C-alpha cells in the first residue's frame, strides 16, 4: 500500500480538494506547483495562502503535509502563446479547442512530477483533471492520464500510480467531496482562499469565491456551487466526518 503522495497543486478549487483527499488517505503528502509564466501571478500567491490555512485549520492534516515545491515551466511560453500566458482574448481555435489550451502542459507537468516523485521517494501522483465538465482539453482525458502512468512507470523503472479523484465527478460533486472531507471549514476555506478565474480577478467576491464572474472558469465554478447548494440545501445536516 502506497503511503506517500505528490499532489499537483495550483491553488485552485480542484487541486485543493485533491490535496485534502490525499491528506485524508496518505501519511505523507508533498505539493508541487508550476510557474509557466501565467498571466496572473495571483495563482502563484494563493498557493501559499491555501497551504497555510490548511495547516492552521486542520492540525491532523498539517502533520502529514510535507514540502511544497515550485518548478519553473516557463519553457512552455517559448513554445507558443495561449490565452493563459499572453494578454489575448479568449476564443475558440479552428480545431475546436479553446485558446486557453496550452499544448503539452499536463504532459510536461506529469513528467516533471514523476521525476520529482522519483527523487523524493513518492509513489503516487495526484492530479485534479476531470472529463466530466472540462473544456475539451485532450490532456485531461482518462486515457491520456493512464498512458502517462504507463510511460512514467516504464521510463522511471518504478511503479508510479497517477490518481485522478475528480475524473468522473462534476463541479457540484467536487464541492460535496470537499464537504465530506473537511466539513464546512474546508468548504469555507476553498471559497475564500482558492483562485480559479482565468482573468486573475481576485477582488470581486461571490458566494462561491473570488473571480470576474463571467469567464469560462468562473461560470463553471458558479454553476457547480449552485448545483451543490441545490443538492444540499442544509449541508450541516449531512454527515460531517472529522478530517
Ligand atoms: Zn473569471
Amino acid at each position: 500500500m502506497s503511503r506517500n503522495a505528490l499532489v499537483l497543486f495550483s491553488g485552485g478549487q480542484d487541486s485543493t480538494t485533491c490535496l485534502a483527499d490525499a491528506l485524508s488517505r496518505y501519511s505523507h503528502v508533498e505539493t508541487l506547483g508550476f510557474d509557466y509564466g501565467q498571466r496572473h501571478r495571483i495563482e502563484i500567491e494563493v498557493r501559499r495562502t491555501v497551504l497555510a490555512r490548511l495547516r492552521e485549520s486542520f492540525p491532523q492534516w498539517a502533520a502529514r503535509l510535507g514540502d511544497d515545491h515550485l518548478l519553473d515551466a516557463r519553457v512552455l511560453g517559448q513554445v507558443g502563446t495561449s490565452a493563459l500566458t499572453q494578454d489575448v482574448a479568449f476564443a475558440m481555435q479552428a480545431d475546436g479547442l479553446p485558446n486557453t489550451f496550452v499544448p503539452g502542459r499536463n504532459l510536461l507537468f506529469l513528467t516533471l512530477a514523476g521525476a520529482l516523485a522519483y527523487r523524493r521517494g513518492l509513489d503516487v501522483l495526484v492530479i485534479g483533471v476531470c472529463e466530466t465538465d472540462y473544456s475539451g482539453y485532450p490532456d485531461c482525458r482518462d486515457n491520456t492520464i493512464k498512458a502517462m502512468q504507463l510511460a512514467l512507470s516504464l521510463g522511471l523503472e518504478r511503479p508510479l500510480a497517477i490518481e485522478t479523484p475528480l475524473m468522473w465527478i462534476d463541479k457540484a460533486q467536487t464541492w460535496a467531496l470537499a464537504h465530506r472531507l473537511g466539513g464546512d471549514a474546508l468548504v469555507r476555506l476553498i471559497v475564500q482562499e482558492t483562485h480559479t478565474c482565468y482573468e486573475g480577478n481576485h477582488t470581486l467576491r461571490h458566494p462561491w469565491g473570488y473571480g470576474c464572474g463571467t469567464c469560462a472558469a468562473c461560470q463553471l465554478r458558479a454553476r457547480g456551487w449552485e448545483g451543490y447548494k441545490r443538492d444540499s440545501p442544509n449541508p450541516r445536516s449531512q454527515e460531517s466526518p472529522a478530517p
Side-chain angles (χ1 to χ4, degrees):
M1 174 64 189
S2 304
R3 301 187 57 78
N4 301 318
L6 177 64
V7 179
L8 283 82
F9 175 66
S10 70
Q13 176 191 354
D14 290 348
S15 66
T16 301
T17 306
C18 284
L19 177 56
D21 183 55
L23 287 166
S24 72
R25 294 183 296 116
Y26 294 108
S27 57
H28 180 77
V29 178
E30 300 188 10
T31 47
L32 169 61
F34 296 99
D35 180 349
Y36 59 97
Q38 292 95 322
R39 261 205 300 163
H40 308 294
R41 309 307 288 173
I42 184 77
E43 288 183 34
I44 306 279
E45 290 159 23
V46 300
R47 294 180 76 257
R48 295 193 195 94
T49 312
V50 172
L51 288 173
R53 295 286 178 276
L54 277 173
R55 285 184 204 279
E56 287 165 12
S57 305
F58 300 91
Q60 60 279 60
W61 287 347
R64 300 174 166 198
L65 188 53
D67 289 355
D68 178 43
H69 310 270
L70 187 67
L71 292 179
D72 185 346
R74 279 177 292 184
V75 64
L76 279 170
Q78 295 174 6
V79 177
T81 62
S82 95
L84 290 190
T85 53
Q86 300 288 322
D87 191 12
V88 296
F90 293 97
M92 295 304 280
Q93 302 174 165
D95 62 4
L97 288 174
N99 66 348
T100 46
F101 178 55
V102 181
R105 179 175 58 174
N106 282 347
L107 306 182
L108 177 68
F109 286 0
L110 285 168
T111 302
L112 292 171
L116 182 67
Y118 183 97
R119 293 286 188 199
R120 303 286 303 170
L122 309 169
D123 39 28
V124 177
L125 303 181
V126 183
I127 182 168
V129 291
C130 170
E131 262 202 39
T132 307
D133 53 8
Y134 73 144
S135 304
Y137 300 135
D139 56 350
C140 292
R141 288 184 299 204
D142 193 46
N143 280 345
T144 304
I145 303 299
K146 285 194 166 73
M148 285 302 290
Q149 174 176 282
L150 182 60
L152 290 172
S153 295
L154 285 171
L156 295 168
E157 188 67 356
R158 182 177 294 187
L160 191 69
I162 304 181
E163 293 185 351
T164 54
L166 312 184
M167 182 60 79
W168 305 113
I169 66 176
D170 63 21
K171 278 279 188 287
Q173 292 169 310
T174 301
W175 284 111
L177 173 60
H179 190 266
R180 278 201 305 280
L181 291 165
D184 292 339
L186 183 59
V187 172
R188 271 198 308 273
L189 188 157
I190 291 173
V191 167
Q192 184 64 24
E193 306 295 352
T194 67
H195 181 87
T196 308
C197 175
Y198 282 152
E199 296 293 339
N201 185 312
H202 207 70
T203 49
L204 261 181
R205 177 66 153 80
H206 310 267
W208 43 265
Y210 289 97
C212 72
T214 54
C215 77
C218 279
Q219 287 183 10
L220 196 57
R221 178 160 163 155
R223 276 202 306 274
W225 176 259
E226 285 157 18
Y228 164 63
K229 282 295 170 188
R230 198 168 47 237
D231 297 342
S232 53
N234 182 13
R236 280 170 211 284
S237 66
Q238 294 179 347
E239 61 167 336
S240 179

